[in-house]
Amino acid sequence: MKATRLLVFVLAAVCSMGALAGSPASASPADAAFNPASGALNVDYANYLSKHDIVYNRPNTNPQHGLTVGNGRMGAMAWQANGLSMQVSGVDTSQQTAFGAGSLNLATTPAMDSGYSTFQQRLSLYDGTLTTKYDNNRTVTVMGSPNSEVMGVHVEDTRGGVSSIALELSLWDVSSLGNSGDVPNLDTWKTVSTYADAGGAGLSRGQADPQNFGYTLAATVEGAPYTAQVVDGRKVRLTITPSTSYTIWFTASSRLNAPSHNSVTQAKNALNSVKGTGYTNTLNSFRNWWHGFWEKSFVQYSNGSGEADYMENIYYLSTYMIAAGGYGNYPFHFINGAFRATGDATKWSNSYWYWNQRDVYNSFLASNHVDLLSGFNRLYSRNFDALKAYTRTRYNVDGIWVPETMGWDGNARGTVNSEYTQDIWSTGAEAAYNMYLQYRYTNDTNYLRTTAYPFMREVAKFYQAKLSLNSGTGKYYVATSNSHETYWDVPNAITDLAAVRNLFPLAIQVGQQLGLDADLRPQWQRIVDNLIAYPSDANTYLPHTPPIAQTRNNENVAAELIWPYDVTGIGYPDQQKAINTWNSRPFPYGNVWANDAVQAARLGLGDQTFQGMKTMLRKYQTYPNGLTDNTNGVFEYLGVHLSAMNESLLQSYNDKIRVFPAVPADSSFVGKFSLLAKGGFTVSSEREAGEIKYVGLKSQYGNSTRIVNPWGGQQLRVRRVSDNATVLTTSDAEFTLNTTANAVYVVERTAKPLTSYSSTRLTGTANQDVKSLRDTNSTLGLSRSPNPMVNDTAATYDSNWYSTSARGYGDYNDDTHHSNTVGATAQYTFTGTGIQYLSERNGDMGTVDVYLDNAFQATVDLRISGARQVQQVVWEKSGLTRGTHTIKIVNRSTSVGIIDAFRITP
């Protein structure tokens, strides 16, 4: 987490508001959807997921609101500007995906988006496709070749009179490129080469990158003749002979994954290959890839008000976006990912921050996509030797220390030059623990032996060397380290003590299991037995031994015990103390990476978990595509949302399976799931009207597990599905279940078994409109008629503007953006015939210049004497030609300039 990030509280807003999150899913306490044959819920995934499609019922011209589509290794954001426009990114094309691959524009004459009466753009989560329909005679489908570096745009256009079609690939001006990627040679990223031949056209950069990154963005056409040309040093064009049906294939082929690191040859070969396979076969493969992805797990999270349904929609959308860029050789970066529309511009991207990356990835254990988490783990395991060597150089210790902000190759440049991060020790323990969890969810003992345990051992050795021993008390302690970024050079950072208490017993256990390191285990056990207690007062845990040091960042460090360190929670002796710590945390929901809701779930606080997820969306989900305008992070809050929902439905972190541990008390709440528990158990359950119906369990590997009785002291039985035999009957609060590999079991009340419920299949109806989250400004999708009021959060701001929320003055949506920097610039692109600019006016305010379509309009004085005025129309323009226009606001004084909202005339 970057130390200098501004603490920003943002109220979500969008251009259009609609009904609540659609009708809540229908539910019946009398039926059950468990399928004994599969050992999971019986779900019509195609129709169920269609209710979560994101739908734009009018063209979107704002790049930041572009819908996202990807194939696992590359992605694009799409919007309407002179036809179809997209920014393309590849996961492995540049270090930390800091540099975008380029822009794609498809334009026709007459324009694709001219002369139509109906429009709909649909992101289909189940199929993974983005489809735009104009009337019944134009359809544009964006899709991909699964898990490759090739995507496609398929066009069906039966209009008569189409005279020209042009596809352009281009790059923005790269001459002033900044080194956000921590690359050794920036010049190679400023150098662009192009080609055009009978097979297509492309542009390349990073071709001399010494770390073998770099890429070629190229395109070809299937189904229509075309000619290729180089337009200039940053643009190539395919001129396509008008046809009623054709497919444009494009690739961001990385040097990293290309034979001999030749991305040009790789791009040409990849395009020829997919063109040979053909659109229909590739589309079917792509759909099947996504179908298989979704069918690995299931979540329903619903209630009478529709709020929970909206949160469920965010769950599936977030899963889609992360998976759509999550299968590269390097991780899906928490800011860059595979989706952005800002050229190469990015923030905090010169390394991977572990704190932020864990938010993106950790939910995928429970959702049965361990292969996604493995990509994150691989960043650290592949750098084992580099980290071990650097640890010896820096600390003279035989072990592994992991920098909190680490480059793709294990470098610590982002850490050792920052007081915020240079003395954080706990990152290595988190990385080692995630590798261990990968083993526990997959049962891959070879991975445990060759990868996870060696990393665990070396991190334990580092701590063993760095801990101090008080000879008087016999206690081990931490003399000085950072309690993450917030408290510097303090004694007994709680993150380090939690790291040791979490990691050392596991290292001992695995060492015994593998028959390794008998000489080390007694030393580790001695440390575990004699480690100093966590710093605390009578009621709460503290971030380090008092007195509390100066606060340097806004992290709830003491709550880290709850998650991700997994050393306290429901049923632990210190649960109440952990709850007190959570309740008194100093920065509740204070940033876009806040994991408060996950921790609430771990503590069994169902209402707080629900409200926490809603709070995070209210603050940060500001765009109708599900993304945020918060530049301190992009994907973290979406990953936190995934973890919070999974943990509210199923927990197994402490080797106990617990269903519905943290759901809201709302009697209308309906929860259903098939998720993966530690040990390799697919767990399914349903809860309606406050009643848990059953627990279904499929054992993948034949491990044993502990299960918490969902009905307290009521008698239950465990029935093996294959022969209907009762294998256990008990009224205990928890019990051990020994299983057989691939066997399915049902845990049911003796008094009300699963057979007392009628059988059903879960399904849904396709979404057709915008959704909104009650009591917030968060929406998904665009309605046919735009809201004339556009909140300040919809504009694009440079770094000298700051957002404030909950102002209490009466601003539109109770939030504004402000600046006191001369030259600070903001702009908003709209479609209409007029616009009003709304601001506050007050005695401490200054002047701003207003431009429309790059033409100066007026200098507006926001100063007044007397009481503050809000929602004031300070400048307006009417009678514009109907079409797309851009308003730009430039602050002109060191006094405050404010943007509250815009009002658009259609």
Side-chain angles (χ1 to χ4, degrees):
M1 175 170 31
K2 191 66 176 177
T4 56
R5 292 179 182 173
L6 189 69
L7 177 60
V8 179
F9 294 88
V10 180
L11 280 177
V14 289
C15 302
S16 109
M17 299 295 292
L20 284 173
S23 300
S26 60
S28 171
D31 62 25
F34 186 66
N35 181 353
S38 66
L41 294 183
N42 185 1
V43 181
D44 174 3
Y45 281 92
N47 285 315
Y48 191 92
L49 280 173
S50 72
K51 70 179 182 176
H52 294 317
D53 289 350
I54 309 302
V55 174
Y56 282 7
N57 282 318
R58 69 176 189 273
N60 162 50
T61 59
N62 187 333
Q64 297 299 320
H65 297 177
L67 289 176
T68 53
V69 59
N71 67 349
R73 295 176 64 187
M74 61 180 292
M77 286 184 72
W79 64 95
Q80 274 64 49
N82 188 33
L84 171 69
S85 289
M86 297 192 292
Q87 179 171 327
V88 181
S89 294
V91 179
D92 297 325
T93 53
S94 70
Q95 293 87 339
Q96 292 90 236
T97 60
F99 304 141
S103 296
L104 179 153
N105 177 260
L106 173 64
T108 64
T109 304
M112 189 77 70
D113 53 357
S114 65
Y116 67 88
S117 58
T118 61
F119 171 94
Q120 188 175 84
Q121 186 173 65
R122 175 180 296 271
L123 176 61
S124 169
L125 301 181
Y126 183 61
D127 288 342
T129 56
L130 178 63
T131 304
T132 308
K133 293 185 177 182
Y134 307 84
D135 293 337
N136 293 318
N137 57 2
R138 280 153 286 173
T139 301
V140 180
T141 302
V142 184
M143 39 71 73
S145 177
N147 201 17
S148 75
E149 293 181 328
V150 178
M151 292 177 61
V153 179
H154 180 73
V155 179
E156 299 283 343
D157 186 355
T158 59
R159 294 176 298 166
V162 176
S163 60
S164 68
I165 305 170
L167 182 283
E168 291 185 343
L169 302 178
S170 61
L171 270 171
W172 35 89
D173 184 2
V174 298
S175 61
S176 59
L177 182 67
N179 199 359
S180 58
D182 191 27
V183 301
N185 180 359
L186 195 58
D187 288 340
T188 187
W189 290 95
K190 295 180 180 180
T191 302
V192 182
S193 58
T194 58
Y195 80 87
D197 57 29
L203 49 85
S204 308
R205 64 177 179 156
Q207 296 299 290
D209 184 276
Q211 298 168 333
N212 295 322
F213 287 95
Y215 65 91
T216 296
L217 176 65
T220 191
V221 180
E222 173 193 345
Y226 67 93
T227 59
Q229 67 181 108
V230 174
V231 178
D232 57 38
R234 294 191 321 232
K235 183 184 294 184
V236 297
R237 179 183 298 138
L238 301 180
T239 301
I240 304 169
T241 301
S243 172
T244 59
S245 178
Y246 56 94
T247 305
I248 296 159
W249 295 110
F250 61 97
T251 179
S253 288
S254 61
R255 290 181 64 229
L256 193 72
N257 298 317
S260 303
H261 305 302
N262 187 328
S263 65
V264 176
T265 299
Q266 175 67 8
K268 292 180 178 182
N269 290 340
L271 292 175
N272 285 336
S273 175
V274 73
K275 190 173 177 179
T277 302
Y279 168 70
T280 300
N281 289 334
T282 302
L283 176 63
N284 288 336
S285 296
F286 185 66
R287 287 172 171 166
N288 290 337
W289 185 77
W290 276 110
H291 298 173
F293 174 88
W294 291 117
E295 291 165 12
K296 287 188 175 183
S297 61
F298 175 81
V299 158
Q300 179 180 333
Y301 193 86
S302 176
N303 70 349
S305 71
E307 295 172 283
D309 299 73
Y310 187 96
M311 296 178 194
E312 182 188 319
N313 204 149
I314 291 289
Y315 179 94
Y316 283 108
L317 176 61
S318 303
T319 299
Y320 171 82
M321 282 194 283
I322 295 169
Y327 286 98
N329 282 321
Y330 286 89
F332 185 103
H333 193 276
F334 68 94
I335 288 182
N336 300 326
F339 306 111
R340 68 175 185 267
T342 55
D344 288 328
T346 184
K347 188 178 182 183
W348 313 135
S349 66
N350 61 337
S351 58
Y352 294 93
W353 274 257
Y354 199 96
W355 181 290
N356 305 78
Q357 290 292 147
R358 72 187 189 188
D359 286 352
V360 176
Y361 273 101
N362 280 11
S363 72
F364 288 101
L365 290 168
S367 58
N368 198 16
H369 299 292
V370 186
D371 50 352
L372 276 169
L373 179 73
S374 70
F376 179 34
N377 286 343
R378 195 164 54 243
L379 174 66
Y380 297 90
S381 62
R382 68 153 51 105
N383 284 305
F384 180 97
D385 292 338
L387 291 169
K388 192 168 170 60
Y390 188 79
T391 303
R392 179 166 292 283
T393 298
R394 186 180 186 201
Y395 291 104
N396 195 29
V397 166
D398 180 24
I400 281 181
W401 166 82
V402 174
E404 171 65 14
T405 57
M406 191 183 87
W408 71 278
D409 57 353
N411 79 70
R413 286 186 290 275
T415 288
V416 297
N417 295 321
S418 168
E419 288 189 89
Y420 286 86
T421 56
Q422 64 182 348
D423 293 324
I424 294 175
W425 294 354
S426 53
T427 307
E430 287 196 62
Y433 184 46
N434 261 357
M435 293 178 203
Y436 171 76
L437 289 177
Q438 180 176 330
Y439 153 70
R440 286 300 310 275
Y441 278 80
T442 62
N443 220 47
D444 186 345
T445 53
N446 183 62
Y447 176 80
L448 178 67
R449 178 179 293 275
T450 62
T451 303
Y453 176 69
F455 208 95
M456 295 166 67
R457 177 190 63 222
E458 296 305 315
V459 174
K461 287 165 60 179
F462 170 79
Y463 266 111
Q464 178 183 336
K466 294 297 288 182
L467 288 170
S468 300
L469 177 64
N470 185 322
S471 58
T473 63
K475 294 291 185 181
Y476 289 90
Y477 67 98
V478 180
T480 179
S481 68
N482 279 19
S483 194
H484 217 262
E485 291 190 13
T486 301
Y487 309 97
W488 299 353
D489 301 320
V490 294
N492 296 314
I494 199 167
T495 44
D496 289 316
L497 298 180
V500 172
R501 284 197 167 89
N502 171 278
L503 181 63
F504 276 45
L506 296 176
I508 294 168
Q509 172 190 318
V510 175
Q512 291 173 331
Q513 175 183 339
L514 298 176
L516 299 172
D517 298 320
D519 57 327
L520 294 176
R521 295 198 302 268
Q523 302 173 59
W524 295 341
Q525 188 64 56
R526 186 163 54 250
I527 290 171
V528 171
D529 293 340
N530 295 282
L531 188 65
I532 193 173
Y534 296 128
S536 69
D537 57 26
N539 299 307
T540 65
Y541 289 117
L542 302 175
H544 62 87
T545 297
I548 301 302
Q550 178 181 348
T551 299
R552 308 283 187 168
N553 210 332
N554 55 340
E555 302 168 341
N556 301 310
V557 178
E560 292 281 285
L561 299 180
I562 306 162
W563 183 94
Y565 289 100
D566 295 355
V567 292
T568 188
I570 302 171
Y572 281 72
D574 64 343
Q575 180 182 354
Q576 187 56 55
K577 195 165 191 174
I579 291 173
N580 296 342
T581 302
W582 188 86
N583 284 332
S584 62
R585 65 201 189 283
F587 306 107
Y589 306 106
N591 43 55
V592 74
W593 55 84
N595 49 50
D596 307 36
V598 187
Q599 294 164 345
R602 283 288 179 87
L603 294 170
L605 306 176
D607 288 332
Q608 292 90 327
T609 303
F610 178 89
Q611 290 300 329
M613 288 189 285
K614 184 175 179 180
T615 296
M616 290 294 286
L617 295 179
R618 176 180 62 80
K619 283 177 172 288
Y620 302 115
Q621 196 247 304
T622 48
Y623 292 159
N625 56 3
L627 294 174
T628 183
D629 66 343
N630 188 292
T631 57
N632 288 333
V634 177
F635 296 100
E636 302 104 310
Y637 79 103
L638 298 175
V640 166
H641 185 85
L642 297 178
S643 289
M645 191 170 290
N646 284 347
E647 294 288 340
S648 72
L649 300 174
L650 171 70
Q651 292 178 17
S652 64
Y653 68 96
N654 59 348
D655 298 312
K656 296 179 182 180
I657 291 174
R658 191 185 301 267
V659 300
F660 301 109
V663 295
D666 177 5
S667 61
S668 71
F669 174 79
V670 176
K672 304 183 181 188
F673 68 85
S674 288
L675 293 168
L676 187 64
K678 190 196 286 188
F681 302 97
T682 301
V683 180
S684 303
S685 191
E686 301 179 61
R687 186 183 191 275
E688 295 183 66
E691 174 187 283
I692 298 173
K693 299 178 181 180
Y694 65 91
V695 179
L697 185 146
K698 181 176 182 178
S699 175
Q700 296 185 17
Y701 310 115
N703 292 324
S704 64
T705 186
R706 295 283 289 176
I707 300 176
V708 175
N709 186 337
W711 306 285
Q714 293 186 45
Q715 189 183 76
L716 62 82
R717 68 186 184 196
V718 180
R719 179 168 49 87
R720 186 171 53 233
V721 167
S722 61
D723 58 2
N724 211 33
T726 297
V727 299
L728 185 149
T729 301
T730 183
S731 299
D732 291 346
E734 58 183 63
F735 58 93
T736 298
L737 177 64
N738 298 314
T739 71
T740 302
N742 298 313
V744 177
Y745 303 85
V746 174
V747 182
E748 56 194 358
R749 286 167 292 180
T750 304
K752 193 174 183 180
L754 177 61
T755 53
S756 66
Y757 298 93
S758 61
S759 179
T760 190
R761 192 179 192 210
L762 303 178
T763 188
T765 302
N767 175 43
Q768 299 296 339
D769 209 346
V770 66
K771 299 180 181 181
S772 62
L773 179 58
R774 191 174 73 172
D775 301 326
T776 77
N777 297 306
S778 299
T779 66
L780 291 171
L782 295 176
S783 63
R784 285 177 174 82
S785 299
N787 182 350
M789 289 297 289
V790 177
N791 196 45
D792 60 287
T793 53
T796 301
Y797 299 88
D798 68 20
S799 61
N800 294 310
W801 290 86
Y802 306 98
S803 61
T804 55
S805 61
R807 290 172 60 76
Y809 294 133
D811 302 300
Y812 181 69
N813 283 336
D814 202 23
D815 64 348
T816 66
H817 270 74
H818 72 275
S819 179
N820 56 7
T821 300
V822 175
T825 301
Q827 62 183 30
Y828 175 71
T829 299
F830 65 96
T831 300
T833 62
I835 185 169
Q836 294 178 335
Y837 159 36
L838 282 69
S839 174
E840 293 181 8
R841 278 192 153 125
N842 197 36
D844 63 349
M845 299 181 65
T847 58
V848 297
D849 285 348
V850 180
Y851 294 79
L852 188 68
D853 297 332
N854 289 320
F856 175 76
Q857 302 293 308
T859 297
V860 178
D861 192 347
L862 302 177
R863 289 171 293 198
I864 60 162
S865 59
R868 182 187 303 270
Q869 299 176 1
V870 296
Q871 292 199 43
Q872 298 297 298
V873 177
V874 297
W875 180 84
E876 61 184 314
K877 186 79 170 182
S878 60
L880 300 173
T881 301
R882 185 181 301 276
T884 299
H885 303 278
T886 299
I887 186 173
K888 182 167 64 176
I889 311 295
V890 181
N891 192 46
R892 282 305 175 201
S893 76
T894 55
S895 297
V896 177
I898 279 183
I899 298 174
D900 181 15
F902 303 105
R903 184 181 286 115
I904 309 301
T905 304

